[in-house]
Amino acid sequence: MRRERNTAQQMLALAVEANYVHWHETNPDTHELTHVFMSHPEAVKLFRAYPHVVLIDSTYKTNTYNMALVEVVGVTPAGSSFLIACVLIPYESEEGYTLLLRKLMDLLECTGAAPSCFVTDRELGLVRALRTLFPETPHLLCRWHVNPSRWYRETSSGFISGIHKFVLCYTNEYFHLGNTTTSRVESAHSLLKAWLKSAHLTLDTMWSRIHSMLEAQHSKIRKELEDSMSRPRITHRLFSLLQGNVSTKAIEIMEDEVKRGVALGIGLELGCGCILPKTHSLPCACTLIDLKNSGSRVHISDIHPFWRTLEYDNEEAMPKNNNDMFEELVDKARKSDPAYRKVFLEKLRDILEPEDEDILAPAVRENPKGRPRGSTTRNKSDFEHSMRKYGTLSTDPSTNVQHMVGDFVVGVAGAPLEKNYTKGPISTWVKRFGVPEELWSLFYSWVDVGSDGQCGFRVLSHALRGGEEDYIQMRDWCLKEITGFDVYKGLFEAGVMTKNGLSKYENTLRHIRFIHQSTCGEDHWMHSDDLFVFASLFSWTICVIAENRYAKGAKEWQCMTILPLRSSNEGVTPYGVLWLLNNKSHWMRLHSRGPSDEVPMPPIEPGWIIFRERSIEQLAALYKTNIDNWHTLMGTTPRSPRRRRDPNAQFARVLVFDESIDLSD
């Protein structure tokens, strides 16, 4: 008797019954579903016929497990969107997106085709996965989502990198069919949620509603393509040869181009721009006007095959690359020993009948992304408690500036705090913490995060991910980065043993490995050396102003600049500079004033010289002016760095204000 299925098994059974192309992965320890890739059989045909432009974006609040739902969207010749695949991933990570992209490659393998262009937002995991798996395929960033300050920086040589992903003069060189934003996939999100009607669906219910949506979508697409063949919209003799052979959308685009050419008049030669042949592979205004004036017509050979492919379900035209190999393997299995045939059948059953596997529904993930619903109450930081002790805002409007921004009150420092927070002017804060007042001319605002022992990872999540809720994911990425590159074995002294019998490298992995969304002890706090990992992983420069907890006598502040130890793109400078403050082991973020190439920056942490890869040894020269400005500001003289170790200190290597690095080294 067949046992009762759970929601995960039922979803897979429905997918098999509907002949979906699907893959899934489970946690080997808990058997919980972790990744699911689903593609409707009709969507597979559409993708193989129209693989040219692929848009990818994720959305949340679609299932009770709080998993991210990634939608992969394509474009038809009729101008409609179609959902290539739906993918459930636990977090937006490079691992999850790599799985997704590999499955897309598998769908196209039998055709030999490949996407002409990808369009995404600035999701770093997806960006890295695309760079690895599709290094030659143009990748465009949504012009609405992009933050230019993170994606390009003018170096001393005047070279600007990154802008080719979103600036029109560069993107117009690619065949993107007019897709330079992710608005098409955002519309797909809206349509999807209109069909789901709930943010707390189980796997099987969610699959059923998405399937119904896809059936309606494919019916609409078939009608649009049939209309292009049977009821073509030809309004001018110029396009008469294209009747029934080219999509109506292509003809509409060319008609608009003719109107533009007529409007340009004598300025056509200079004003055409000849953009359409590159972005849409269609004749541009100057070509169409020349044909019109000469009495000629647009020939079907002038049109890209994308616009001429009005039938997509021709199975006979599909290559049968793997059929012979499959038949050969089946023949070998038939002739093999019965024991071997049993193993063969078990593996085949796991693929064709996944609903019979021991699979469980995913565990519910708490707040994987986005602001928590309801109360935003959290533990107060040391800074917030100090503001209660040292006074509140003055009632004199000339000494305090505060105004509302959404649900936050912005005070004189410019930092958003929850309503009713007690706070004081910058001078009070400086006095409380003892930070040299000359430093505060460098900053215009600060950002505080939760003080639960996770503040270091929270502040990095806020700066690099746009919100502090991804701090657990930051720990996970940190672990993968450390274990993935040998450069960190030197930084964390893999050969040095400690009293607990583990090497310092193993202890580092141990203190980072904390996956609970709760308060953590001092053993799991972020250390300054961990910042090298994030600087390398995200390609950012990190400046730190930190109190030395173990200094005797007068209060001492450690100031250092941390550069990436490695780079996956040689010669590419960091995207920007991130400032962090550490007071009594609580991390906060600072926003600096002025252009990034002029803001004073503290000396470079000497560990960078020792452990960095040779490919980025010239990186320090980029900040020579900044460091010189720092010494001018602080009234210090650059000197060679001196190493100082405190066996109890959180910071293994220390630089104070009057120490620097010899950039000519």
Side-chain angles (χ1 to χ4, degrees):
M1 179 180 294
R2 184 182 293 272
R3 61 181 180 179
E4 184 177 351
R5 295 169 178 161
N6 57 41
T7 58
Q9 292 170 329
Q10 178 63 13
M11 178 193 67
L12 294 175
L14 292 171
V16 170
E17 184 179 347
N19 201 28
Y20 269 60
V21 175
H22 65 280
W23 291 277
H24 66 274
E25 288 191 357
T26 59
N27 185 317
D29 298 325
T30 64
H31 301 290
E32 293 174 350
L33 212 56
T34 58
H35 298 79
V36 183
F37 180 100
M38 291 279 181
S39 185
H40 191 286
E42 195 85 354
V44 174
K45 296 177 184 178
L46 283 165
F47 184 42
R48 287 170 176 165
Y50 315 122
H52 306 85
V53 177
V54 177
L55 302 95
I56 305 175
D57 191 32
S58 63
T59 185
Y60 288 79
K61 297 184 179 180
T62 61
N63 56 84
T64 191
Y65 317 100
N66 287 332
M67 297 181 75
L69 178 64
V70 183
E71 289 193 276
V72 185
V73 175
V75 185
T76 72
S80 297
S81 304
F82 68 94
L83 189 61
I84 300 171
C86 280
V87 186
L88 282 172
I89 56 177
Y91 299 102
E92 292 185 77
S93 63
E94 183 177 355
E95 178 186 2
Y97 283 115
T98 298
L99 172 67
L100 183 158
L101 293 174
R102 289 192 185 281
K103 300 312 177 186
L104 289 181
M105 293 171 67
D106 291 343
L107 291 181
L108 293 178
E109 185 178 7
C110 64
T111 67
S116 302
C117 175
F118 286 97
V119 184
T120 73
D121 61 8
R122 189 184 175 274
E123 170 53 48
L124 294 181
L126 177 54
V127 171
R128 293 193 184 92
L130 284 170
R131 187 186 301 157
T132 301
L133 298 179
F134 293 90
E136 303 300 325
T137 303
H139 172 212
L140 307 187
L141 289 173
C142 175
R143 298 176 64 221
W144 288 103
H145 285 89
V146 73
N147 180 351
S149 65
R150 294 186 176 189
W151 277 94
Y152 69 92
R153 172 191 174 101
E154 187 169 359
T155 66
S156 57
S157 63
F159 174 77
I160 299 178
S161 63
I163 60 174
H164 64 282
K165 293 178 178 289
F166 57 87
V167 176
L168 284 179
C169 64
Y170 294 96
T171 60
N172 282 343
E173 298 295 319
Y174 305 133
F175 180 55
H176 56 60
L177 300 174
N179 294 278
T180 56
T181 70
T182 55
S183 57
R184 189 179 288 271
V185 71
E186 297 290 351
S187 298
H189 292 338
S190 177
L191 176 65
L192 174 74
K193 292 186 177 181
W195 278 85
L196 293 181
K197 299 180 180 179
S198 173
H200 305 284
L201 298 177
T202 57
L203 290 174
D204 53 342
T205 304
M206 182 176 66
W207 183 93
S208 297
R209 296 186 183 181
I210 293 176
H211 178 70
S212 298
M213 179 196 74
L214 292 175
E215 291 288 314
Q217 183 182 85
H218 298 152
S219 177
K220 177 185 175 184
I221 290 173
R222 283 193 295 269
K223 183 179 184 303
E224 290 174 341
L225 295 175
E226 288 170 1
D227 287 346
S228 291
M229 292 186 288
S230 60
R231 293 187 292 176
R233 181 179 176 274
I234 303 297
T235 60
H236 197 283
R237 179 179 179 276
L238 185 63
F239 307 115
S240 60
L241 295 178
L242 307 181
Q243 184 170 351
N245 297 313
V246 174
S247 74
T248 302
K249 180 67 175 178
I251 295 174
E252 290 175 352
I253 293 173
M254 288 187 287
E255 286 178 344
D256 291 340
E257 195 73 355
V258 170
K259 294 176 183 178
R260 189 173 74 91
V262 172
L264 288 171
I266 60 174
L268 175 61
E269 185 175 350
L270 295 177
C272 176
C274 300
I275 302 299
L276 206 62
K278 302 173 185 176
T279 60
H280 293 73
S281 286
L282 293 173
C284 61
C286 58
T287 301
L288 292 171
I289 293 298
D290 287 344
L291 291 173
K292 178 182 177 183
N293 293 338
S294 65
S296 301
R297 291 177 288 181
V298 178
H299 195 273
I300 192 170
S301 61
D302 298 329
I303 308 300
H304 190 279
F306 168 77
W307 303 105
R308 308 195 314 250
T309 307
L310 303 180
E311 293 182 294
Y312 61 88
D313 56 353
N314 187 357
E315 289 292 339
E316 295 181 359
M318 292 295 297
K320 303 295 189 296
N321 302 22
N322 298 327
N323 283 7
D324 293 342
M325 182 184 297
F326 179 78
E327 294 295 340
E328 182 180 345
L329 290 174
V330 171
D331 187 56
K332 287 183 178 179
R334 286 197 186 99
K335 298 176 181 178
S336 63
D337 185 82
Y340 182 81
R341 286 203 300 274
K342 181 180 179 182
V343 175
F344 178 83
L345 289 173
E346 288 176 351
K347 292 185 178 296
L348 197 60
R349 181 186 298 171
D350 289 342
I351 297 172
L352 299 179
E353 298 180 358
E355 69 274 17
D356 291 335
E357 289 186 62
D358 188 14
I359 298 177
L360 301 177
V364 177
R365 291 164 175 79
E366 296 183 4
N367 303 325
K369 189 172 183 178
R371 179 171 297 281
R373 299 182 63 183
S375 173
T376 56
T377 302
R378 56 174 171 76
N379 296 330
K380 302 291 188 294
S381 68
D382 181 75
F383 166 75
E384 294 157 359
H385 286 299
S386 70
M387 290 301 101
R388 290 181 180 275
K389 180 178 180 181
Y390 284 85
T392 60
L393 284 172
S394 169
T395 57
D396 183 357
S398 64
T399 60
N400 295 290
V401 180
Q402 60 174 340
H403 58 278
M404 296 301 299
V405 179
D407 294 331
F408 298 98
V409 176
V410 179
V412 286
L417 293 176
E418 294 175 15
K419 291 180 180 178
N420 302 321
Y421 265 27
T422 306
K423 52 191 180 300
I426 291 179
S427 59
T428 304
W429 190 24
V430 173
K431 179 180 178 181
R432 169 69 179 92
F433 291 145
V435 177
E437 292 188 22
E438 56 263 48
L439 287 182
W440 290 100
S441 64
L442 304 180
F443 309 105
Y444 69 88
S445 69
W446 41 261
V447 176
D448 197 10
V449 295
S451 54
D452 54 359
Q454 311 257 25
C455 58
F457 298 96
R458 283 180 178 273
V459 78
L460 288 170
S461 175
H462 182 280
L464 302 172
R465 298 278 293 169
E468 64 180 271
E469 296 85 2
D470 286 339
Y471 59 94
I472 296 296
Q473 183 67 56
M474 300 300 286
R475 286 181 178 271
D476 184 55
W477 283 335
C478 186
L479 285 171
K480 292 179 180 178
E481 172 74 9
I482 293 174
T483 55
F485 299 92
D486 291 337
V487 66
Y488 299 108
K489 292 184 178 179
L491 175 68
F492 296 116
E493 301 177 324
V496 179
M497 304 303 293
T498 60
K499 294 180 180 180
N500 63 2
L502 301 176
S503 68
K504 290 189 175 182
Y505 177 83
E506 292 170 325
N507 278 329
T508 297
L509 299 179
R510 189 176 183 181
H511 94 258
I512 295 173
R513 190 179 289 114
F514 187 87
I515 62 173
H516 308 290
Q517 293 183 325
S518 59
T519 301
C520 68
E522 185 173 353
D523 291 342
H524 296 286
W525 290 357
M526 188 176 76
H527 299 174
S528 65
D529 280 350
D530 300 342
L531 296 175
F532 277 108
V533 182
F534 292 103
S536 305
L537 178 62
F538 291 95
S539 192
W540 274 75
T541 295
I542 302 177
C543 295
V544 179
I545 301 175
E547 179 190 7
N548 183 3
R549 298 170 58 198
Y550 303 95
K552 298 179 181 179
K555 194 164 189 174
E556 180 181 329
W557 289 87
Q558 308 163 356
C559 300
M560 66 192 78
T561 295
I562 293 176
L563 302 178
L565 292 176
R566 66 165 191 89
S567 176
S568 58
N569 297 293
E570 293 188 14
V572 177
T573 60
Y575 294 130
V577 179
L578 171 64
W579 284 85
L580 301 181
L581 172 72
N582 184 293
N583 180 68
K584 296 182 179 178
S585 297
H586 180 70
W587 292 91
M588 300 175 66
R589 182 186 178 188
L590 305 173
H591 292 291
S592 62
R593 298 179 185 271
S596 58
D597 57 348
E598 297 178 3
V599 172
M601 291 168 53
I604 297 174
E605 214 280 351
W608 182 80
I609 285 288
I610 301 170
F611 302 111
R612 53 115 177 98
E613 293 180 350
R614 296 187 63 86
S615 61
I616 57 171
E617 61 186 0
Q618 300 301 321
L619 193 57
L622 293 175
Y623 302 105
K624 187 177 188 305
T625 301
N626 304 79
I627 295 173
D628 290 343
N629 291 342
W630 174 275
H631 289 293
T632 300
L633 175 69
M634 303 306 300
T636 57
T637 303
R639 300 189 321 198
S640 297
R642 83 172 174 270
R643 295 174 62 84
R644 181 172 69 219
R645 285 190 175 277
D646 185 331
N648 299 315
Q650 180 180 351
F651 295 85
R653 288 171 295 281
V654 176
L655 283 180
V656 291
F657 291 148
D658 64 343
E659 295 179 337
S660 181
I661 196 166
D662 185 1
L663 296 177
S664 63
D665 187 353

